């Protein structure tokens, strides 16, 4: 159903049981619910929030609107995991219930302080004229799921930004706590601000400077900035809305990008010798990626498989959005690699030789190898006529090309039906994870990544080798 602004911001307790039950029943009738990805049973999921480690478990929250596939009054839903694969909802929901977040708990991060999990988030507030006010807020979550919010904002909006000032990410680096926040300047340019915690306390923050990462200054807003460290090298992940496509080519409505620095200068707020800007994912929808350094230093990331301002086929079933697999970040030869954590192999069932299959359950992994100087095409989500998601691996040409124009219900056509990236003319591998309506493709164990949605028709559940002779393995995946 299409919601009015009044409905989108109606208090949660004003929705009747009958209204909620109708939404639940409609969502349950969808044929596209995933199996091993985090996804809401109903309502809209968007940004991953508070990805962290607390009291022996991995914590992942997601931004949530329960009452349909709309961006409305947002809360946070808590999930926990012991293996970074199986995430279970705890029943804890962090509600927008104060004057500092009355119109939504927007995105943020988390980190353990003492025996509590510190939640750092943006409070969204609208005044009587519907003018937005943003506040960088905090709270302490105990192990029972009780959140005690800090009664005052922790970082005030600076004078040199518009109302678009959000998504605080806290991180620990060489003995101190820092936070970066996405911002829009008064002349409508996207940038990032760096703050340092005073006395290693979450209660007081001092401005260090605007982050110097050779910002091209062509975006109108930078959302969801994250700074993580891979073998002490800083990796900046960010979403520069409106980025000029002359800077780097991309096809999605909004891009998710990264840069790698050689070192991080905390006093100058600078990535030293930052790399060129790179696409984080070459697929159709990855956004708001959140990353953090685990207690052992490992860099982990997870993304929203979805995009703002895009309508999805699941909308008619009153739900939208999912999370990607958790990926470990590594750097090899100056390149960022992203690959699912090792525990993903625990889902594998009986191994089969990769070949044509007329019917699958669309919940599987392929581990494939493509020769150099070759061209192969496989069709996933294939119907009996061979229509589905086309994946072309052309090592001779040096390109991988995806085409979803024949795969299921079509949407977001204004942003095209194909995606591609360049590869070397070498033996190339692909690990492909299919989960009902999601694909995640990792080339050369994460050198390049394609993530996206496909909403297949009922008969689109096969695999067809249309060209070439790729070899490999097929695994059913059991969650």
């Amino acid at each position: 159903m299409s919601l009015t602004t009044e409905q989108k911001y109606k208090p949660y307790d004003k929705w009747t049981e009958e209204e909620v039950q109708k939404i639940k029943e409609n969502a349950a009738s969808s044929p596209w619910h995933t199996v091993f990805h985090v996804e809401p049973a109903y309502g809209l999921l968007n940004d991953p929030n508070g990805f962290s480690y607390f009291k022996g478990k991995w914590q992942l929250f997601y931004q949530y609107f329960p009452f349909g596939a709309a961006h409305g009054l947002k809360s946070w839903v808590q999930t926990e995991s012991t293996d970074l694969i199986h995430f279970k909802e705890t029943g804890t929901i962090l509600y927008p219930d104060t004057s500092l977040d009355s119109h939504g708990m927007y995105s943020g991060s988390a980190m353990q302080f003492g025996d509590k999990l510190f939640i750092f988030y943006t409070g969204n507030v609208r005044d009587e004229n519907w003018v937005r006010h943003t506040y960088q807020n905090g709270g302490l979550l105990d192990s029972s799921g009780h959140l005690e919010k800090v009664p005052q904002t922790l970082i005030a909006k600076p004078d040199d930004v518009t109302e678009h000032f959000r998504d605080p990410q806290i991180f620990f680096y060489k003995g101190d706590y820092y936070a970066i926040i996405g911002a829009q300047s008064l002349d409508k340019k996207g940038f990032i601000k760096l703050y340092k915690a005073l006395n290693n306390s979450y209660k007081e923050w001092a401005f260090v400077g605007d982050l110097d990462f050779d910002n091209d200054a062509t975006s109108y807003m930078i959302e969801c900035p994250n700074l993580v460290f891979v073998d002490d090298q800083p990796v900046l992940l960010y979403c520069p809305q409106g980025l000029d496509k002359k800077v780097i080519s991309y096809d999605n409505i909004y891009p998710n990008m990264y840069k790698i620095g050689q070192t991080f200068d905390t006093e100058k707020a600078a990535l030293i010798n930052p790399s060129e800007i790179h696409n984080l994912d070459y697929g159709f929808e990855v956004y708001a990626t959140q990353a953090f350094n685990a207690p052992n230093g490992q860099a982990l990331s997870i993304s929203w498989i979805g995009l703002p301002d895009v309508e999805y086929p699941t909308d008619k079933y009153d739900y939208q959005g999912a999370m990607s697999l958790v990926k470990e970040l590594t750097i090899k030869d100056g390149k960022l690699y992203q690959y699912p954590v090792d525990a993903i192999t625990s889902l594998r069932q009986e191994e089969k030789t990769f070949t044509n299959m007329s019917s699958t359950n669309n919940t599987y992994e392929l581990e494939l190898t493509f020769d150099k100087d070759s061209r192969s095409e496989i069709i996933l989500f294939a119907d009996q006529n061979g229509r589905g998601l086309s994946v072309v691996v052309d090592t001779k040409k040096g390109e991988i090309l995806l085409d979803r124009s024949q795969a299921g219900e079509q949407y977001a056509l204004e942003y095209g039906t194909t995606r591609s990236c360049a590869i070397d003319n070498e033996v190339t591998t692909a690990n492909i994870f299919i989960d009902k309506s999601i694909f995640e493709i990792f080339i050369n164990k994460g050198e390049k990544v394609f993530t996206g949605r496909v909403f297949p028709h009922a008969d689109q559940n096969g695999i067809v080798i249309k060209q070439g002779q790729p070899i490999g393995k097929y695994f059913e995946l059991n969650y």
Side-chain angles (χ1 to χ4, degrees):
M1 60 180 175
S2 179
L3 300 182
T4 64
T5 298
E6 182 179 6
Q7 288 174 313
K8 290 176 183 177
Y9 291 91
K10 186 166 71 172
Y12 284 26
D13 60 3
K14 300 300 183 183
W15 289 84
T16 67
E17 289 185 13
E18 290 77 14
E19 287 175 318
V20 174
Q21 185 60 31
K22 185 177 179 180
I23 291 169
K24 288 181 178 180
E25 290 175 356
N26 188 34
S29 67
S30 168
W32 298 311
H33 282 292
T34 64
V35 175
F36 56 92
H37 286 78
V38 174
E39 182 184 60
Y42 60 97
L44 183 139
L45 167 157
N46 58 311
D47 298 8
N49 294 152
F51 191 24
S52 56
Y53 190 76
F54 176 56
K55 290 206 165 182
K57 290 185 178 180
W58 304 101
Q59 307 293 321
L60 173 66
F61 300 78
Y62 61 80
Q63 208 173 353
Y64 185 52
F65 177 72
F67 308 110
H71 290 273
L73 185 60
K74 298 291 181 66
S75 56
W76 284 22
V77 174
Q78 183 190 37
T79 71
E80 290 184 334
S81 176
T82 58
D83 63 0
L84 291 169
I85 299 296
H86 300 83
F87 284 89
K88 302 296 182 184
E89 292 187 9
T90 66
T92 293
I93 300 177
L94 309 184
Y95 292 100
D97 55 9
T98 75
S99 60
L100 295 175
D101 56 23
S102 59
H103 288 71
M105 277 192 63
Y106 278 19
S107 292
S109 52
M111 182 171 286
Q112 183 167 347
F113 278 78
D115 63 351
K116 304 283 180 64
L117 186 66
F118 171 61
I119 305 291
F120 206 1
Y121 71 99
T122 297
N124 183 47
V125 175
R126 297 277 189 170
D127 64 21
E128 63 275 9
N129 297 314
W130 206 245
V131 175
R132 185 200 305 273
H133 302 271
T134 55
Y135 303 94
Q136 311 314 312
N137 302 330
L140 293 173
L141 187 73
D142 64 26
S143 56
S144 69
H146 173 70
L147 178 68
E148 182 178 344
K149 293 183 179 178
V150 178
Q152 70 278 353
T153 190
L154 296 178
I155 296 178
K157 185 177 80 67
D159 293 335
D160 62 345
V161 304
T162 69
E163 73 275 13
H164 296 291
F165 180 59
R166 57 180 173 267
D167 311 335
Q169 188 236 351
I170 185 172
F171 60 96
F172 188 74
Y173 182 67
K174 294 190 175 179
D176 289 297
Y177 293 95
Y178 296 88
I180 54 175
I181 303 177
Q184 182 187 67
S185 67
L186 297 180
D187 59 353
K188 306 296 176 66
K189 301 294 185 182
F191 69 119
I192 298 169
K193 286 187 170 289
L194 174 70
Y195 294 83
K196 181 179 179 180
L198 299 179
N199 303 314
N200 277 342
S201 168
Y202 63 84
K203 296 179 181 179
E204 294 183 89
W205 296 86
F207 176 60
V208 179
D210 296 336
L211 189 66
D212 180 1
F213 59 99
D214 286 355
N215 184 9
D216 56 79
T218 66
S219 69
Y220 60 78
M221 173 62 189
I222 288 180
E223 292 194 310
C224 305
N226 282 249
L227 194 57
V228 291
F229 298 87
V230 179
D231 298 328
D232 208 35
Q233 280 193 262
V235 179
L236 177 68
L237 313 176
Y238 61 111
C239 298
Q241 293 185 316
L243 177 71
D244 191 331
K245 294 183 180 181
K246 294 178 182 177
V247 174
I248 184 172
S249 177
Y250 64 93
D251 294 308
N252 296 342
I253 180 173
Y254 303 124
N256 208 159
M257 299 289 178
Y258 77 88
K259 286 190 174 189
I260 301 174
Q262 290 302 309
T263 57
F264 178 49
D265 188 325
T266 57
E267 293 185 0
K268 295 181 179 179
L271 266 66
I272 304 302
N273 295 325
S275 70
E276 295 180 352
I277 189 171
H278 297 283
N279 271 297
L280 187 66
D281 192 290
Y282 291 87
F284 294 91
E285 41 254 309
V286 149
Y287 199 72
T289 299
Q290 184 160 95
F292 83 107
N293 285 105
N296 66 357
Q298 185 181 30
L300 302 169
S301 74
I302 191 167
S303 307
W304 169 29
I305 304 181
L307 286 163
D309 305 323
V310 170
E311 296 180 355
Y312 286 85
T314 58
D315 290 4
K316 62 178 173 285
Y317 292 104
D318 288 323
Y319 78 103
Q320 185 191 117
M323 291 294 164
S324 73
L325 296 173
V326 175
K327 293 156 281 191
E328 182 178 4
L329 306 181
T330 56
I331 296 174
K332 301 176 185 177
D333 300 323
K335 299 177 182 178
L336 184 69
Y337 280 66
Q338 310 165 71
Y339 196 73
V341 295
D342 290 344
I344 190 67
T345 58
S346 69
L347 302 185
R348 290 176 172 179
Q349 302 300 297
E350 181 183 0
E351 175 186 321
K352 300 178 182 178
T353 300
F354 174 65
T355 187
N356 292 312
M357 293 188 177
S358 60
S359 178
T360 75
N361 63 5
N362 278 343
T363 310
Y364 58 84
E365 176 191 357
L366 302 176
E367 190 168 67
L368 306 179
T369 300
F370 303 85
D371 285 337
K372 63 183 302 185
D373 291 315
S374 70
R375 186 184 192 278
S376 298
E377 181 178 8
I378 61 174
I379 309 296
L380 310 174
F381 302 100
D383 64 17
Q384 61 182 0
N385 295 313
R387 292 186 295 255
L389 174 66
S390 168
V391 180
V392 175
V393 179
D394 192 334
T395 57
K396 188 172 184 178
K397 185 179 178 182
E399 181 185 57
I400 293 176
L401 176 67
L402 269 61
D403 185 340
R404 67 177 181 187
S405 62
Q406 302 297 312
E409 294 202 12
Q410 299 294 292
Y411 66 99
L413 294 177
E414 61 268 40
Y415 304 107
T417 60
T418 64
R419 296 291 186 269
S420 64
C421 79
I423 57 172
D424 295 328
N425 182 12
E426 301 291 346
V427 174
T428 299
T429 67
N431 284 76
I432 301 174
F433 296 86
I434 302 296
D435 188 4
K436 298 300 185 181
S437 56
I438 288 175
F439 64 86
E440 295 189 65
I441 302 175
F442 299 89
I443 303 301
N444 295 330
K445 296 294 183 179
E447 179 185 0
K448 301 286 178 68
V449 184
F450 290 86
T451 304
R453 302 298 302 253
V454 163
F455 299 94
H457 301 307
D459 63 344
Q460 290 191 305
N461 59 358
I463 299 172
V464 173
I465 302 171
K466 191 171 181 180
Q467 182 181 1
Q469 296 179 318
I471 60 171
K473 303 170 185 177
Y474 169 97
F475 302 91
E476 292 282 343
L477 298 181
N478 184 8
Y479 192 70

